[in-house]
Amino acid sequence: MAEQYKIGEFLIDLSRNQITQDTKPQIIPPKALAVLTYLAKHQGKVISQDELLDNVWKGTVVSPNTLQRSIAQLRKALGDDGKEQTYIKTHAKQGYSLEQNVHWLTKEEQAIQFQKQDPADTLLGHVNKIGQCDDYEESINKPLLKNTYVLSLFTFLILVVISVYYFTAQPSKPFSIGQIRALTATDGKELASIYSPDGKYIIFHRYSEEECINDIWAKNLETQQEYKLSKNMDIYGQHRFSKDGKKIIVIRTVDCGEPVTQKKCYQLMSLDFEKALNAPQEMDLILECKNSEIRRPYWLNNGNIALMQKHTERWQLVSFESNEKHSKVLHSGFVYHYDYSPEQDLLAVTSIKEDSQYYIDIIKPNGELISSHPIHLPPEITGHRFIRPNFSPIENTLIFSTGRQLFSMTFDGEIQNISIPVDKPFSSPMFHPDGDRGLVIKGVYDTDIISVDLNDGSSSVISRSNTAENNAVYQPNGSYIAFESARSGEAQVWVTNHSITTQLSQLPTDSYVTGMKWSSDGKNILMSANSTLFNISLDKVQTPIKTSLPILALLHWDDNKNSALVFAQFNGVKKLAQVNLSSGVVQKLTDKRVNWATKTDTGAIVLTDHMGRFWVSSAIEYQSITALNMQGGDNKRFFIRDNKIYGINNLNQVWCYDIQTKDFETITTLTKNTENITDIKNNKLLVTKRQVANKEVVELLLVK
């Protein structure tokens, strides 16, 4: 049994993270209990802050504030107001001591406590007594069927009580969702929603599918009236309010006039919110970045603007002082998300550090580190997923979504599942100033797989559902087509031969598939999903392949050499790499910033860089394919068949380039809703087409 001890009238049960008084348990954070246990083991002795930090937070950098929060939690649980200090005493500039006597329970005493606390154990005792027959002769003469029925009934009751106890004895969730209601409901996309500081408005983007641009809107939650805030539609990113609620800052993305290091330039803009409620407004330029990318602006209480800034392939967190046009680095690790709490004046930064471990760092706007803890993802969160936690109304607690699941995370990096899966994925919540509700973006993304006959221009449906169907590839030497679909509720690999459609993979909730390739004989599929490679046979045997680094996407499979071309994560940075599928060793191939890549029939690597340029590997360096300049469409992929490169540009023109003859031709033009082209066989092109791409702003009403 786990360790239990008593301090006065309080029972401390480390197995349940509980402090119990008069049969009333309180759930206590594990770190706080670890502090109490360390003090209990040294009862009456003054323990310094450094000693407590070193022993309770081994290998983790935290500030004394973290320890002080744990002490405050313990005093509250023990009914110690901190002034009289009956239990935990503070010794100025020395540390803390536990003043009450400690009684460590023996195994026998723990067993008694277990029976007292466990209703299932109590019932089992009653059942055992009932099962003892007073009259042995009478009992053996009763029909066996009746005895079996009684035993089954009691067994059922035991299981029911155990189940009830199990679910009710778990740590209480910080809140639950009482109601979900839509705040916007159009045929387009509404996204990137936040509350105004006074909580009266929501601000959101309304996206034009036709123009692929958006504008900024506000909605009065009381009157339901909507206001167009931005005068001109453009490519706007995330937006935030100033502390007084009078201005909004937003990132605008534009084409660089003379691109040198990147195709897009990023502008930090300011909008007068009060004026925009009367009429749409032009925006003021605060800052422009032509050689780096910026995102996620936050107006800090000190008047500076926090930004994520990307140099090459690594994001860092900076603070920009707009008056003096000066910036300061607040966090130089690989930052992939952060959130800011104006009420606490703290930043919560999620990052990957040199040990490839995910961390949650709490810092002040001046860059001072308050605490730093590794994040240990629970089994429900698959793969090396980038989680994006935001501040919540619960003290020292962040909230994030992985799609159809909602989780809480403490400042110590401890994660708890706080909701059951919902029908459609939604984003991490942004909370109302009152803390009683939150905004999420919920949407439907429906794509179908179409076959286009390049001989006569006719088309036919290969796979259609009301969810996403993607990445179809023909089976070598066979009639199957493999594709990715979420039609069963989760992203899975499927195969179809036009008459029979079968699910091959078995992936858990909130999974993500990032590539699939057939073996040369068409008998197996190599799949990348949840940062892992899997080999799947047509009889549904799914075998994971261990690799030395997380796999972000599968690009090419050479089953003869037992190797694969992949994107792998090197300390948080995506790099083009090759995997030895026998040893699992991942080897980086280039430091280039690569958007997409694959291999030719002869083993040469063809790739596109972040500028959309095509390159092919040679003996000592990559050579530019100048004939394909301007053909690399934004976020468009390409593939190679029979030493010919097939791609699609921003004009939706499908083109073909012969690597050997260097001949280039435009084959056909597809409709605007074309997402990608993925394979070709017998002059029949597999195309992913978007049917529906709706997003709406939804409000979660919370029950605390």
Side-chain angles (χ1 to χ4, degrees):
M1 290 187 183
E3 197 172 44
Q4 295 180 351
Y5 58 95
K6 283 188 172 182
I7 302 175
E9 58 189 7
F10 292 93
L11 172 68
I12 290 81
D13 187 342
L14 300 180
S15 67
R16 295 185 173 123
N17 296 327
Q18 288 181 355
I19 294 180
T20 302
Q21 181 190 32
D22 295 331
T23 69
K24 296 178 181 179
Q26 301 178 66
I27 303 300
I28 306 298
K31 291 296 184 184
L33 275 188
V35 170
L36 181 61
T37 302
Y38 194 84
L39 291 174
K41 290 179 179 179
H42 302 82
Q43 189 273 331
K45 181 181 177 182
V46 178
I47 306 298
S48 68
Q49 289 190 4
D50 290 341
E51 184 175 345
L52 284 168
L53 292 171
D54 290 343
N55 284 275
V56 175
W57 288 272
K58 293 180 180 178
T60 304
V61 178
V62 295
S63 74
N65 290 343
T66 303
L67 173 59
Q68 291 164 8
R69 283 198 298 270
S70 293
I71 294 293
Q73 291 168 339
L74 292 171
R75 283 177 170 155
K76 182 178 180 181
L78 297 169
D80 203 342
D81 62 8
K83 295 180 180 179
E84 296 183 1
Q85 299 186 355
T86 305
Y87 291 88
I88 300 175
K89 185 175 182 179
T90 301
H91 301 265
K93 298 182 180 181
Q94 295 183 54
Y96 302 95
S97 66
L98 183 63
E99 296 298 297
Q100 297 293 324
N101 291 330
V102 178
H103 173 66
W104 301 90
L105 271 63
T106 64
K107 290 184 178 180
E108 292 76 14
E109 290 173 320
Q110 290 186 49
I112 294 172
Q113 288 294 332
F114 183 76
Q115 289 184 357
K116 286 181 179 179
Q117 295 176 17
D118 200 311
D121 225 45
T122 303
L123 179 61
L124 184 60
H126 291 314
V127 171
N128 287 336
K129 289 178 182 178
I130 295 171
Q132 293 171 358
C133 298
D134 295 330
D135 189 335
Y136 178 78
E137 293 292 330
E138 183 182 353
S139 69
I140 60 174
N141 290 326
K142 289 180 180 178
L144 179 61
L145 180 61
K146 185 176 181 180
N147 286 337
T148 303
Y149 170 77
V150 173
L151 180 60
S152 299
L153 177 61
F154 283 128
T155 303
F156 172 75
L157 290 173
I158 292 168
L159 292 175
V160 168
V161 175
I162 290 174
S163 299
V164 170
Y165 168 73
Y166 175 80
F167 287 108
T168 57
Q170 301 309 303
S172 58
K173 296 178 181 180
F175 59 74
S176 60
I177 299 171
Q179 184 182 348
I180 301 177
R181 63 185 183 190
L183 296 182
T184 62
T186 68
D187 292 332
K189 293 182 185 177
E190 284 86 22
L191 60 158
S193 185
I194 60 172
Y195 291 103
S196 60
D198 59 11
K200 294 181 179 179
Y201 296 87
I202 60 167
I203 316 300
F204 59 92
H205 292 167
R206 180 160 281 155
Y207 182 83
S208 168
E209 196 74 44
E210 182 71 20
E211 302 295 332
C212 295
I213 53 179
N214 61 300
D215 46 21
I216 303 175
W217 288 72
K219 183 172 186 175
N220 187 308
L221 294 175
E222 182 177 347
T223 66
Q224 303 300 305
Q225 184 175 352
E226 291 186 351
Y227 306 85
K228 186 177 183 296
L229 303 181
S230 54
K231 188 170 185 179
N232 302 310
M233 295 190 74
D234 219 317
I235 303 176
Y236 297 115
Q238 293 163 315
H239 45 252
R240 294 292 184 270
F241 272 95
S242 58
K243 186 179 180 180
D244 58 13
K246 293 182 178 181
K247 290 188 176 183
I248 296 173
I249 49 174
V250 65
I251 303 294
R252 181 171 69 178
T253 303
V254 298
D255 291 326
C256 290
E258 297 180 1
V260 178
T261 61
Q262 57 191 34
K263 293 175 66 176
K264 301 293 184 180
C265 290
Y266 301 88
Q267 299 174 336
L268 178 64
M269 312 294 293
S270 173
L271 174 71
D272 191 311
F273 178 60
E274 293 182 332
K275 289 182 178 180
L277 287 176
N278 296 315
Q281 296 293 304
E282 297 276 4
M283 297 189 188
D284 296 323
L285 177 65
I286 301 175
L287 170 71
E288 183 172 24
C289 293
K290 298 181 179 180
N291 298 294
S292 64
E293 184 177 346
I294 53 175
R295 68 166 57 159
R296 200 169 177 81
Y298 251 117
W299 227 317
L300 305 176
N301 288 348
N302 60 15
N304 292 353
I305 299 172
L307 296 161
M308 286 177 62
Q309 184 177 26
K310 184 180 182 180
H311 287 286
T312 63
E313 293 177 281
R314 185 177 292 273
W315 290 92
Q316 60 184 11
L317 182 62
V318 301
S319 175
F320 174 68
E321 207 289 308
S322 57
N323 292 328
E324 297 183 6
K325 305 297 181 183
H326 172 75
S327 64
K328 172 187 176 181
V329 176
L330 299 179
H331 195 297
S332 58
F334 180 84
V335 176
Y336 61 85
H337 182 80
Y338 84 97
D339 195 41
Y340 175 63
S341 168
E343 294 76 21
Q344 302 178 62
D345 200 24
L346 292 176
L347 297 141
V349 183
T350 44
S351 65
I352 301 174
K353 299 192 178 179
E354 296 303 322
D355 57 0
S356 295
Q357 173 71 53
Y358 295 100
Y359 277 80
I360 177 68
D361 296 339
I362 307 299
I363 65 175
K364 292 183 178 179
N366 62 4
E368 178 186 345
L369 181 66
I370 301 299
S371 66
S372 177
H373 291 278
I375 300 171
H376 299 288
L377 301 180
E380 304 100 297
I381 302 179
T382 55
H384 291 256
R385 181 184 291 273
F386 288 162
I387 62 172
R388 292 173 169 81
N390 296 328
F391 280 95
S392 79
I394 311 301
E395 184 180 4
N396 300 330
T397 303
L398 306 164
I399 303 293
F400 65 91
S401 167
T402 57
R404 294 194 298 158
Q405 298 179 100
L406 200 62
F407 294 87
S408 68
M409 183 172 71
T410 67
F411 288 2
D412 295 340
E414 297 169 3
I415 293 176
Q416 182 183 355
N417 194 324
I418 61 172
S419 73
I420 60 174
V422 293
D423 60 334
K424 297 174 184 177
F426 57 87
S427 63
S428 296
M430 299 292 294
F431 289 95
H432 189 275
D434 292 342
D436 57 352
R437 49 197 146 142
L439 296 175
V440 300
I441 306 301
K442 187 179 178 183
V444 175
Y445 189 70
D446 179 10
T447 55
D448 294 338
I449 297 170
I450 310 295
S451 172
V452 177
D453 193 321
L454 298 179
N455 294 319
D456 58 16
S458 63
S459 63
S460 60
V461 176
I462 300 297
S463 177
R464 173 179 289 168
S465 71
N466 61 357
T467 61
E469 319 274 309
N470 296 302
N471 304 325
V473 284
Y474 286 109
Q475 178 191 28
N477 307 313
S479 60
Y480 279 115
I481 295 174
F483 63 97
E484 173 199 340
S485 174
R487 60 177 61 191
S488 62
E490 301 299 331
Q492 306 285 357
V493 171
W494 295 69
V495 292
T496 183
N497 62 359
H498 302 287
S499 60
I500 299 175
T501 300
T502 305
Q503 178 182 325
L504 290 188
S505 65
Q506 299 293 329
L507 297 172
T509 302
D510 284 345
S511 290
Y512 51 100
V513 178
T514 55
M516 69 187 83
K517 302 294 175 184
W518 285 98
S519 59
S520 56
D521 60 9
K523 294 181 179 180
N524 291 74
I525 292 174
L526 186 66
M527 168 187 71
S528 59
N530 305 331
S531 307
T532 304
L533 291 174
F534 298 88
N535 190 311
I536 309 175
S537 64
L538 291 179
D539 57 1
K540 303 183 182 180
V541 177
Q542 180 175 303
T543 306
I545 299 172
K546 292 184 178 180
T547 55
S548 57
L549 291 172
I551 305 302
L552 303 181
L554 172 64
L555 309 173
H556 182 270
W557 181 22
D558 187 339
D559 57 324
N560 293 317
K561 294 183 179 179
N562 206 25
S563 66
L565 188 69
V566 299
F567 283 136
Q569 181 177 291
F570 290 80
N571 291 331
V573 179
K574 181 185 78 173
K575 291 292 183 183
L576 184 65
Q578 185 163 285
V579 181
N580 183 318
L581 298 177
S582 298
S583 65
V585 174
V586 180
Q587 178 186 2
K588 184 170 64 175
L589 296 179
T590 179
D591 280 320
K592 278 182 175 291
R593 295 170 62 184
V594 180
N595 277 355
W596 194 251
T598 189
K599 283 189 175 183
T600 66
D601 297 343
T602 59
I605 297 173
V606 177
L607 62 84
T608 50
D609 65 13
H610 66 290
M611 299 282 283
R613 300 169 299 196
F614 280 79
W615 302 80
V616 60
S617 63
S618 62
I620 59 174
E621 64 178 3
Y622 284 87
Q623 302 288 334
S624 174
I625 307 178
T626 55
L628 298 182
N629 285 348
M630 309 301 294
Q631 297 300 325
D634 295 337
N635 299 317
K636 304 289 187 182
R637 300 178 180 180
F638 63 91
F639 62 87
I640 297 177
R641 289 292 177 268
D642 301 323
N643 273 319
K644 292 180 179 180
I645 306 173
Y646 293 86
I648 183 170
N649 59 28
N650 285 335
L651 299 176
N652 294 307
Q653 297 172 329
V654 179
W655 51 263
C656 174
Y657 176 78
D658 192 307
I659 297 173
Q660 293 178 327
T661 66
K662 301 187 183 337
D663 291 333
F664 174 86
E665 65 172 319
T666 300
I667 302 173
T668 188
T669 300
L670 299 175
T671 55
K672 283 187 177 182
N673 65 333
T674 300
E675 291 285 299
N676 264 308
I677 60 173
T678 56
D679 205 357
I680 193 169
K681 186 177 184 180
N682 299 327
N683 228 26
K684 291 186 177 180
L685 185 70
L686 292 178
V687 179
T688 303
K689 289 202 172 186
R690 181 179 63 258
Q691 303 301 333
V692 178
N694 287 343
K695 288 189 176 182
E696 60 180 334
V697 181
V698 174
E699 192 170 46
L700 308 179
L701 302 184
L702 309 181
V703 179
K704 295 185 181 179

